[in-house]
Amino acid sequence: MAYHEAGHAVMCRLLRVRIETVDIGGDELYGGRILHGNPMVATSSASADSIRARLKIEKAIMLCLAGPLAQRKYDPHLTDYGGAVDLEVAMTLAANFFRSRKIAAAYINFATEWVWQKWNDPKIWSTVERLARALIERKRLSGRQVNAIIRGVS
């Protein structure tokens, strides 16, 4: 769970999305969660075909994929990465935006590879690990604390 939420948080930082809080002391419905800015703010249906709208959708999709993929990188033997909802949201966003399940699936494959590339960068992955350890220790972190940990400040 800590790696899952840390993955979302580090991806927020990489994509310049504001982080409010991250916690793993969740309830029965959510084991953990991150509250962050909405990367799709001000995306209207009138601008759905614009480059700016596409970039916002891409950010949202990559944020969704980041948690489950970080959890899978941490423990590839898990059968449930705790991200079924995240993956469903990513696919729904892609299908609604691209208006084609085939193109949406191709985009999800691309986005998955892009996130994997980030997690395979030792510097970025060590940041995910550092943040996951802090979450295990403290259970809840403010956006300010998350940003300090990502920057390497204790």
mmCIF file of all heavy atoms in Angstrom, residues 11-45:
data_model
loop_
_atom_site.group_PDB
_atom_site.id
_atom_site.type_symbol
_atom_site.label_atom_id
_atom_site.label_comp_id
_atom_site.label_asym_id
_atom_site.label_seq_id
_atom_site.Cartn_x
_atom_site.Cartn_y
_atom_site.Cartn_z
ATOM 1 N N MET A 11 4.660 10.465 -8.982
ATOM 2 C CA MET A 11 4.193 10.831 -10.329
ATOM 3 C C MET A 11 3.553 12.214 -10.305
ATOM 4 O O MET A 11 3.737 12.990 -11.250
ATOM 5 C CB MET A 11 3.221 9.777 -10.864
ATOM 6 C CG MET A 11 2.861 9.987 -12.326
ATOM 7 S SD MET A 11 4.270 10.003 -13.481
ATOM 8 C CE MET A 11 4.890 8.344 -13.298
ATOM 9 N N CYS A 12 2.826 12.540 -9.250
ATOM 10 C CA CYS A 12 2.289 13.906 -9.126
ATOM 11 C C CYS A 12 3.420 14.919 -9.234
ATOM 12 O O CYS A 12 3.325 15.914 -9.964
ATOM 13 C CB CYS A 12 1.573 14.095 -7.791
ATOM 14 S SG CYS A 12 -0.101 13.466 -7.730
ATOM 15 N N ARG A 13 4.469 14.650 -8.507
ATOM 16 C CA ARG A 13 5.615 15.574 -8.510
ATOM 17 C C ARG A 13 6.239 15.660 -9.906
ATOM 18 O O ARG A 13 6.552 16.743 -10.395
ATOM 19 C CB ARG A 13 6.626 15.096 -7.463
ATOM 20 C CG ARG A 13 7.849 15.917 -7.352
ATOM 21 C CD ARG A 13 7.568 17.280 -6.750
ATOM 22 N NE ARG A 13 8.823 17.994 -6.699
ATOM 23 C CZ ARG A 13 9.201 18.762 -5.738
ATOM 24 N NH1 ARG A 13 8.390 18.996 -4.734
ATOM 25 N NH2 ARG A 13 10.359 19.348 -5.765
ATOM 26 N N LEU A 14 6.409 14.502 -10.572
ATOM 27 C CA LEU A 14 6.996 14.495 -11.914
ATOM 28 C C LEU A 14 6.131 15.268 -12.908
ATOM 29 O O LEU A 14 6.658 15.920 -13.811
ATOM 30 C CB LEU A 14 7.182 13.064 -12.410
ATOM 31 C CG LEU A 14 8.263 12.235 -11.711
ATOM 32 C CD1 LEU A 14 8.179 10.778 -12.144
ATOM 33 C CD2 LEU A 14 9.647 12.809 -11.989
ATOM 34 N N LEU A 15 4.812 15.192 -12.731
ATOM 35 C CA LEU A 15 3.893 15.838 -13.663
ATOM 36 C C LEU A 15 3.426 17.215 -13.178
ATOM 37 O O LEU A 15 2.564 17.830 -13.793
ATOM 38 C CB LEU A 15 2.672 14.932 -13.898
ATOM 39 C CG LEU A 15 2.990 13.593 -14.561
ATOM 40 C CD1 LEU A 15 1.731 12.736 -14.643
ATOM 41 C CD2 LEU A 15 3.611 13.789 -15.932
ATOM 42 N N ARG A 16 3.999 17.660 -12.069
ATOM 43 C CA ARG A 16 3.705 18.985 -11.510
ATOM 44 C C ARG A 16 2.233 19.165 -11.133
ATOM 45 O O ARG A 16 1.601 20.157 -11.488
ATOM 46 C CB ARG A 16 4.175 20.074 -12.446
ATOM 47 C CG ARG A 16 5.666 20.007 -12.635
ATOM 48 C CD ARG A 16 6.209 21.094 -13.426
ATOM 49 N NE ARG A 16 7.668 20.950 -13.375
ATOM 50 C CZ ARG A 16 8.485 21.498 -14.210
ATOM 51 N NH1 ARG A 16 8.029 22.260 -15.154
ATOM 52 N NH2 ARG A 16 9.772 21.313 -14.096
ATOM 53 N N VAL A 17 1.746 18.156 -10.425
ATOM 54 C CA VAL A 17 0.390 18.206 -9.886
ATOM 55 C C VAL A 17 0.518 18.382 -8.376
ATOM 56 O O VAL A 17 1.251 17.636 -7.718
ATOM 57 C CB VAL A 17 -0.388 16.911 -10.224
ATOM 58 C CG1 VAL A 17 -1.742 16.883 -9.533
ATOM 59 C CG2 VAL A 17 -0.538 16.764 -11.738
ATOM 60 N N ARG A 18 -0.174 19.351 -7.829
ATOM 61 C CA ARG A 18 -0.095 19.673 -6.403
ATOM 62 C C ARG A 18 -0.597 18.511 -5.550
ATOM 63 O O ARG A 18 -1.629 17.921 -5.815
ATOM 64 C CB ARG A 18 -0.916 20.930 -6.119
ATOM 65 C CG ARG A 18 -0.915 21.388 -4.676
ATOM 66 C CD ARG A 18 -1.818 22.600 -4.469
ATOM 67 N NE ARG A 18 -3.074 22.577 -5.203
ATOM 68 C CZ ARG A 18 -4.152 21.882 -4.830
ATOM 69 N NH1 ARG A 18 -4.145 21.174 -3.734
ATOM 70 N NH2 ARG A 18 -5.253 21.917 -5.558
ATOM 71 N N ILE A 19 0.158 18.203 -4.501
ATOM 72 C CA ILE A 19 -0.203 17.139 -3.560
ATOM 73 C C ILE A 19 -0.724 17.791 -2.287
ATOM 74 O O ILE A 19 -0.071 18.671 -1.724
ATOM 75 C CB ILE A 19 1.026 16.265 -3.227
ATOM 76 C CG1 ILE A 19 1.586 15.622 -4.485
ATOM 77 C CG2 ILE A 19 0.670 15.210 -2.176
ATOM 78 C CD1 ILE A 19 2.982 15.057 -4.323
ATOM 79 N N GLU A 20 -1.892 17.333 -1.817
ATOM 80 C CA GLU A 20 -2.444 17.839 -0.557
ATOM 81 C C GLU A 20 -2.059 16.926 0.598
ATOM 82 O O GLU A 20 -1.470 17.375 1.573
ATOM 83 C CB GLU A 20 -3.961 17.976 -0.662
ATOM 84 C CG GLU A 20 -4.381 19.055 -1.637
ATOM 85 C CD GLU A 20 -5.873 19.138 -1.812
ATOM 86 O OE1 GLU A 20 -6.620 18.726 -0.895
ATOM 87 O OE2 GLU A 20 -6.301 19.623 -2.873
ATOM 88 N N THR A 21 -2.413 15.652 0.516
ATOM 89 C CA THR A 21 -2.049 14.676 1.546
ATOM 90 C C THR A 21 -1.921 13.294 0.925
ATOM 91 O O THR A 21 -2.506 13.017 -0.121
ATOM 92 C CB THR A 21 -3.111 14.569 2.676
ATOM 93 O OG1 THR A 21 -4.346 14.140 2.111
ATOM 94 C CG2 THR A 21 -3.286 15.867 3.424
ATOM 95 N N VAL A 22 -1.160 12.455 1.611
ATOM 96 C CA VAL A 22 -1.042 11.041 1.253
ATOM 97 C C VAL A 22 -1.161 10.272 2.557
ATOM 98 O O VAL A 22 -0.537 10.641 3.554
ATOM 99 C CB VAL A 22 0.322 10.716 0.603
ATOM 100 C CG1 VAL A 22 0.388 9.255 0.202
ATOM 101 C CG2 VAL A 22 0.605 11.615 -0.583
ATOM 102 N N ASP A 23 -1.977 9.217 2.557
ATOM 103 C CA ASP A 23 -2.028 8.409 3.774
ATOM 104 C C ASP A 23 -2.267 6.946 3.457
ATOM 105 O O ASP A 23 -2.789 6.599 2.406
ATOM 106 C CB ASP A 23 -3.070 8.947 4.768
ATOM 107 C CG ASP A 23 -4.495 8.658 4.384
ATOM 108 O OD1 ASP A 23 -4.890 7.483 4.436
ATOM 109 O OD2 ASP A 23 -5.216 9.609 4.042
ATOM 110 N N ILE A 24 -1.806 6.115 4.388
ATOM 111 C CA ILE A 24 -2.010 4.668 4.271
ATOM 112 C C ILE A 24 -2.707 4.126 5.510
ATOM 113 O O ILE A 24 -2.749 2.931 5.718
ATOM 114 C CB ILE A 24 -0.693 3.905 4.022
ATOM 115 C CG1 ILE A 24 0.291 4.120 5.157
ATOM 116 C CG2 ILE A 24 -0.104 4.281 2.675
ATOM 117 C CD1 ILE A 24 1.465 3.157 5.136
ATOM 118 N N GLY A 25 -3.263 5.008 6.300
ATOM 119 C CA GLY A 25 -3.980 4.581 7.497
ATOM 120 C C GLY A 25 -5.453 4.438 7.205
ATOM 121 O O GLY A 25 -6.281 4.687 8.065
ATOM 122 N N GLY A 26 -5.759 4.036 5.989
ATOM 123 C CA GLY A 26 -7.116 4.074 5.469
ATOM 124 C C GLY A 26 -8.160 3.280 6.220
ATOM 125 O O GLY A 26 -7.897 2.593 7.191
ATOM 126 N N ASP A 27 -9.354 3.395 5.710
ATOM 127 C CA ASP A 27 -10.498 2.684 6.275
ATOM 128 C C ASP A 27 -10.694 1.372 5.513
ATOM 129 O O ASP A 27 -9.838 0.976 4.731
ATOM 130 C CB ASP A 27 -11.743 3.570 6.211
ATOM 131 C CG ASP A 27 -12.031 4.065 4.797
ATOM 132 O OD1 ASP A 27 -11.718 3.341 3.831
ATOM 133 O OD2 ASP A 27 -12.578 5.169 4.656
ATOM 134 N N GLU A 28 -11.832 0.726 5.723
ATOM 135 C CA GLU A 28 -12.077 -0.552 5.072
ATOM 136 C C GLU A 28 -12.270 -0.425 3.567
ATOM 137 O O GLU A 28 -11.981 -1.343 2.819
ATOM 138 C CB GLU A 28 -13.291 -1.230 5.709
ATOM 139 C CG GLU A 28 -12.982 -1.721 7.104
ATOM 140 C CD GLU A 28 -14.210 -1.736 8.005
ATOM 141 O OE1 GLU A 28 -15.332 -1.739 7.487
ATOM 142 O OE2 GLU A 28 -14.010 -1.748 9.219
ATOM 143 N N LEU A 29 -12.749 0.727 3.107
ATOM 144 C CA LEU A 29 -12.978 0.917 1.682
ATOM 145 C C LEU A 29 -11.677 1.241 0.952
ATOM 146 O O LEU A 29 -11.398 0.707 -0.113
ATOM 147 C CB LEU A 29 -14.008 2.028 1.458
ATOM 148 C CG LEU A 29 -14.427 2.285 0.023
ATOM 149 C CD1 LEU A 29 -15.028 1.027 -0.606
ATOM 150 C CD2 LEU A 29 -15.436 3.429 -0.027
ATOM 151 N N TYR A 30 -10.882 2.115 1.561
ATOM 152 C CA TYR A 30 -9.617 2.520 0.945
ATOM 153 C C TYR A 30 -8.485 2.192 1.901
ATOM 154 O O TYR A 30 -8.463 2.677 3.020
ATOM 155 C CB TYR A 30 -9.594 4.035 0.685
ATOM 156 C CG TYR A 30 -10.677 4.502 -0.251
ATOM 157 C CD1 TYR A 30 -11.816 5.131 0.231
ATOM 158 C CD2 TYR A 30 -10.555 4.307 -1.624
ATOM 159 C CE1 TYR A 30 -12.813 5.567 -0.629
ATOM 160 C CE2 TYR A 30 -11.545 4.734 -2.484
ATOM 161 C CZ TYR A 30 -12.673 5.365 -1.982
ATOM 162 O OH TYR A 30 -13.653 5.792 -2.830
ATOM 163 N N GLY A 31 -7.523 1.422 1.459
ATOM 164 C CA GLY A 31 -6.376 1.132 2.302
ATOM 165 C C GLY A 31 -5.464 2.331 2.415
ATOM 166 O O GLY A 31 -4.798 2.542 3.411
ATOM 167 N N GLY A 32 -5.439 3.128 1.380
ATOM 168 C CA GLY A 32 -4.626 4.323 1.347
ATOM 169 C C GLY A 32 -5.208 5.262 0.314
ATOM 170 O O GLY A 32 -6.065 4.873 -0.476
ATOM 171 N N ARG A 33 -4.733 6.502 0.343
ATOM 172 C CA ARG A 33 -5.226 7.439 -0.659
ATOM 173 C C ARG A 33 -4.314 8.647 -0.736
ATOM 174 O O ARG A 33 -3.573 8.958 0.189
ATOM 175 C CB ARG A 33 -6.652 7.864 -0.385
ATOM 176 C CG ARG A 33 -6.823 8.673 0.856
ATOM 177 C CD ARG A 33 -8.252 9.059 1.055
ATOM 178 N NE ARG A 33 -8.379 9.617 2.388
ATOM 179 C CZ ARG A 33 -9.511 9.958 2.918
ATOM 180 N NH1 ARG A 33 -10.619 9.787 2.257
ATOM 181 N NH2 ARG A 33 -9.551 10.471 4.122
ATOM 182 N N ILE A 34 -4.424 9.303 -1.861
ATOM 183 C CA ILE A 34 -3.708 10.552 -2.076
ATOM 184 C C ILE A 34 -4.734 11.587 -2.527
ATOM 185 O O ILE A 34 -5.617 11.284 -3.329
ATOM 186 C CB ILE A 34 -2.571 10.394 -3.112
ATOM 187 C CG1 ILE A 34 -1.855 11.735 -3.324
ATOM 188 C CG2 ILE A 34 -3.093 9.825 -4.411
ATOM 189 C CD1 ILE A 34 -0.578 11.623 -4.125
ATOM 190 N N LEU A 35 -4.637 12.749 -1.951
ATOM 191 C CA LEU A 35 -5.447 13.874 -2.406
ATOM 192 C C LEU A 35 -4.514 14.823 -3.134
ATOM 193 O O LEU A 35 -3.496 15.251 -2.594
ATOM 194 C CB LEU A 35 -6.115 14.571 -1.222
ATOM 195 C CG LEU A 35 -7.083 13.709 -0.415
ATOM 196 C CD1 LEU A 35 -7.610 14.494 0.793
ATOM 197 C CD2 LEU A 35 -8.231 13.217 -1.274
ATOM 198 N N HIS A 36 -4.856 15.109 -4.372
ATOM 199 C CA HIS A 36 -4.007 15.978 -5.190
ATOM 200 C C HIS A 36 -4.873 16.858 -6.075
ATOM 201 O O HIS A 36 -6.086 16.646 -6.192
ATOM 202 C CB HIS A 36 -3.033 15.150 -6.037
ATOM 203 C CG HIS A 36 -3.682 14.159 -6.950
ATOM 204 N ND1 HIS A 36 -4.360 14.509 -8.080
ATOM 205 C CD2 HIS A 36 -3.741 12.809 -6.871
ATOM 206 C CE1 HIS A 36 -4.813 13.425 -8.684
ATOM 207 N NE2 HIS A 36 -4.464 12.378 -7.964
ATOM 208 N N GLY A 37 -4.235 17.829 -6.681
ATOM 209 C CA GLY A 37 -4.943 18.701 -7.605
ATOM 210 C C GLY A 37 -5.499 17.902 -8.771
ATOM 211 O O GLY A 37 -4.995 16.829 -9.100
ATOM 212 N N ASN A 38 -6.528 18.433 -9.376
ATOM 213 C CA ASN A 38 -7.150 17.780 -10.518
ATOM 214 C C ASN A 38 -6.428 18.206 -11.794
ATOM 215 O O ASN A 38 -6.513 19.373 -12.180
ATOM 216 C CB ASN A 38 -8.630 18.159 -10.587
ATOM 217 C CG ASN A 38 -9.362 17.480 -11.723
ATOM 218 O OD1 ASN A 38 -8.764 16.856 -12.581
ATOM 219 N ND2 ASN A 38 -10.664 17.626 -11.734
ATOM 220 N N PRO A 39 -5.742 17.273 -12.453
ATOM 221 C CA PRO A 39 -5.009 17.661 -13.666
ATOM 222 C C PRO A 39 -5.930 18.049 -14.817
ATOM 223 O O PRO A 39 -5.480 18.610 -15.802
ATOM 224 C CB PRO A 39 -4.198 16.412 -14.013
ATOM 225 C CG PRO A 39 -4.900 15.291 -13.348
ATOM 226 C CD PRO A 39 -5.559 15.874 -12.127
ATOM 227 N N MET A 40 -7.231 17.773 -14.676
ATOM 228 C CA MET A 40 -8.161 18.059 -15.764
ATOM 229 C C MET A 40 -8.995 19.312 -15.525
ATOM 230 O O MET A 40 -9.973 19.546 -16.229
ATOM 231 C CB MET A 40 -9.059 16.847 -15.995
ATOM 232 C CG MET A 40 -8.238 15.687 -16.479
ATOM 233 S SD MET A 40 -9.086 14.137 -16.743
ATOM 234 C CE MET A 40 -10.765 14.502 -16.864
ATOM 235 N N VAL A 41 -8.598 20.138 -14.578
ATOM 236 C CA VAL A 41 -9.334 21.372 -14.304
ATOM 237 C C VAL A 41 -9.459 22.177 -15.596
ATOM 238 O O VAL A 41 -8.508 22.285 -16.368
ATOM 239 C CB VAL A 41 -8.614 22.209 -13.216
ATOM 240 C CG1 VAL A 41 -9.167 23.606 -13.135
ATOM 241 C CG2 VAL A 41 -8.717 21.503 -11.885
ATOM 242 N N ALA A 42 -10.648 22.700 -15.805
ATOM 243 C CA ALA A 42 -10.942 23.560 -16.964
ATOM 244 C C ALA A 42 -10.872 22.820 -18.292
ATOM 245 O O ALA A 42 -10.642 23.426 -19.324
ATOM 246 C CB ALA A 42 -10.031 24.784 -16.985
ATOM 247 N N THR A 43 -11.081 21.502 -18.297
ATOM 248 C CA THR A 43 -11.174 20.759 -19.545
ATOM 249 C C THR A 43 -12.649 20.599 -19.855
ATOM 250 O O THR A 43 -13.355 19.891 -19.167
ATOM 251 C CB THR A 43 -10.512 19.361 -19.423
ATOM 252 O OG1 THR A 43 -9.148 19.541 -19.074
ATOM 253 C CG2 THR A 43 -10.598 18.600 -20.725
ATOM 254 N N SER A 44 -13.107 21.314 -20.862
ATOM 255 C CA SER A 44 -14.520 21.237 -21.227
ATOM 256 C C SER A 44 -14.691 20.362 -22.456
ATOM 257 O O SER A 44 -13.736 20.087 -23.178
ATOM 258 C CB SER A 44 -15.065 22.635 -21.532
ATOM 259 O OG SER A 44 -14.479 23.119 -22.721
ATOM 260 N N SER A 45 -15.911 19.920 -22.683
ATOM 261 C CA SER A 45 -16.161 19.100 -23.860
ATOM 262 C C SER A 45 -15.890 19.888 -25.135
ATOM 263 O O SER A 45 -15.522 19.319 -26.158
ATOM 264 C CB SER A 45 -17.588 18.558 -23.841
ATOM 265 O OG SER A 45 -18.492 19.630 -23.792
#
